[in-house]
Amino acid sequence: MAAGYAELLRTRHAARLLVGTLVGRLPNATGPIAIVLFTRAEGGSYSLAGALAAAYGLANAVGQPLLGRAVDLFGQPRVQLPAAVLSALGMVGLALAGTGSAVAAYAAVVVAGLFTPPLEGGLRALWPGVLGGREEKVHAAYAMDAVAQEVMFTVGPLLVTLFVALWSPAGALLALNAIGVLGALSVVVSEPSRKWRSEPREAHWLGALRSRGLLALLGAFFFVGMALGSITVAGVAYADDHGGQAVYGWLMAALGLGALIGGVFYGARQWAGAPERRLRLLVGLLAVCYLPLMLVPGAVAMTGLSALSGVFLAPALACAFIVVDRHAPAGTVTEAFSWLVTFFGVGAAIGTAAAGPAVELGGTAAGFGVAGVAGFSALLVLMLTQRALARGGRSRAVAASSDGLSEGVCDVPSQVPSAP
């Protein structure tokens, strides 16, 4: 599969867009971790750290679909870069004000979360045009996208701990957000981003949310986000008892590394059968792998369990991207992907908020128990909504212009082979 990814990255603009998006999303990917570490360094409690991270996640959840709809309507450069700058300024405010004033701290993280640019949804909207509308290449790009995200989630926690060690938690916030603005700038000045236009859309106040299949998927990934959010706080509690910030960084990096390995193996073959059915299996395996975290063994074993808990994350995400593409109404692709980020973010925010009291009341194992319950809740949603997901699945064929940039999109019936 490495050769297949290399071929994709040799496509004009592909490497720049992927790297720029990953760098631009670094502040968002590391935001909850950086906020938790910053709050603890300022003397705040686990509950305050979890609440601030939750406020950041909730604000991000509100902002993503609104900014995603704005991108569909007005194009990427007019929305993405101003949003990135405003988000960075919010984190600058947190670093300068500290947590002494709760009002100022909450205001800063809300601004940072609300204006987080929808680079993730924007990239997935660009893939069809960049890759000439070839469905198999677009699906491979989704898998590569998920794998590349796990590289970021592996490196991100280590960068946070490195920046904290070199400077301070406040310095880490400033550095990560400065890097993020540069990543967003790299994307929006590129030719595909400047020329991309959304396909015509039906005027409807619900936008992408009028798709029942999409709603079912979003409900499931709300709980997947909740599981990951709870691990963020439970991991800090574990590290406090087993070696401090360095252990926390390794736990979070191991989770990302496990997801990276799982994503590479998942992308190594073409999958037959409906992706909706495959997604149920992947989410079920993901839920099972959360349970061993409740054993809270020594640091080395716990790092291994963290890696195991991430193995099916990237495959589940890659499969979810295909399902979003199949169920998003015409003209709402960026918004639809942004809604996935939103529901995931809301779940993560609730997970971080729930894990803090769980740790204080029942110990570290109870914090990781939140992840297990959330994982099986995601599976239950997918099981209960099989009919909605089975209806209306479509693949998106892209009419590319001669220079390879997306000019229009049409929906065609999907020809999905039966599962073997």
Side-chain angles (χ1 to χ4, degrees):
M1 189 59 188
Y5 287 163
E7 181 183 355
L8 287 175
L9 291 174
R10 283 195 295 269
T11 304
R12 188 183 179 208
H13 303 298
R16 173 181 178 173
L17 291 172
L18 179 63
V19 173
T21 297
L22 293 174
V23 172
R25 292 187 58 236
L26 189 62
N28 183 234
T30 59
I33 298 173
I35 289 170
V36 168
L37 293 178
F38 177 79
T39 304
R40 292 292 292 154
E42 291 281 303
S45 67
Y46 288 121
S47 293
L48 178 60
L52 285 175
Y56 173 80
L58 289 171
N60 182 283
V62 172
Q64 285 295 294
L66 296 177
L67 293 172
R69 184 173 294 192
V71 167
D72 284 330
L73 293 173
F74 304 114
Q76 295 196 2
R78 293 182 181 180
V79 178
Q80 304 276 39
L81 185 59
V85 172
L86 288 172
S87 179
L89 289 176
M91 282 299 195
V92 170
L94 177 64
L96 297 179
T99 59
S101 169
V103 173
Y106 279 109
V109 298
V110 166
V111 168
L114 187 65
F115 289 101
T116 297
L119 293 168
E120 187 175 354
L123 175 64
R124 288 165 202 145
L126 292 176
W127 279 134
V130 171
L131 299 174
R134 295 179 59 182
E135 184 178 340
E136 70 281 2
K137 283 195 171 186
V138 173
H139 289 180
Y142 288 159
M144 179 180 69
D145 188 349
V147 169
Q149 283 189 68
E150 299 316 323
V151 174
M152 179 181 63
F153 281 107
T154 301
V155 174
L158 298 179
L159 280 179
V160 173
T161 55
L162 175 63
F163 289 169
V164 167
L166 290 176
W167 303 305
S168 65
L173 284 173
L174 296 175
L176 290 167
N177 281 272
I179 292 171
V181 171
L182 293 177
L185 178 64
S186 174
V187 172
V188 300
V189 299
S190 69
E191 187 179 7
S193 180
R194 288 185 288 107
K195 291 191 174 182
W196 178 85
R197 296 295 181 272
S198 177
E199 60 181 316
R201 60 186 286 156
E202 175 188 346
H204 197 291
W205 70 276
L206 278 176
L209 294 184
R210 64 184 183 271
S211 166
R212 293 183 179 180
L214 180 62
L215 287 173
L217 177 74
L218 297 178
F221 273 79
F222 164 85
F223 288 108
V224 175
M226 184 176 176
L228 290 179
S230 65
I231 290 173
T232 299
V233 175
V236 173
Y238 177 88
D240 282 349
D241 295 332
H242 293 81
Q245 293 179 354
V247 171
Y248 180 66
W250 283 110
L251 290 180
M252 296 298 101
L255 191 153
L257 179 62
L260 186 154
I261 294 171
V264 169
F265 277 96
Y266 175 80
R269 57 163 291 183
Q270 296 290 326
W271 296 91
E276 293 85 356
R277 186 180 308 168
R278 185 164 65 250
L279 184 62
R280 289 195 293 274
L281 174 61
L282 292 170
V283 170
L285 292 170
L286 182 65
V288 169
C289 289
Y290 286 143
L291 296 180
L293 294 173
M294 297 178 64
L295 299 174
V296 289
V300 174
M302 192 64 176
T303 301
L305 293 179
S306 294
L308 176 65
S309 71
V311 166
F312 293 99
L313 178 60
L317 286 172
C319 191
F321 299 157
I322 298 173
V323 176
V324 170
D325 187 60
R326 283 161 55 84
H327 289 271
T332 67
V333 61
T334 308
E335 181 188 343
F337 280 116
S338 297
W339 274 117
L340 180 62
V341 176
T342 286
F343 274 72
F344 195 91
V346 170
I350 292 176
T352 57
V359 167
E360 293 177 348
L361 293 174
T364 303
F368 287 116
V370 175
V373 172
F376 281 98
S377 297
L379 176 61
L380 180 62
V381 170
L382 291 177
M383 296 296 293
L384 294 176
T385 58
Q386 292 184 49
R387 288 188 178 182
L389 284 165
R391 291 195 298 265
R394 288 126 73 87
S395 61
R396 204 167 299 276
V398 180
S401 64
S402 58
D403 63 357
L405 299 177
S406 175
E407 298 290 349
V409 184
C410 59
D411 288 331
V412 297
S414 175
Q415 302 298 323
V416 181
S418 300

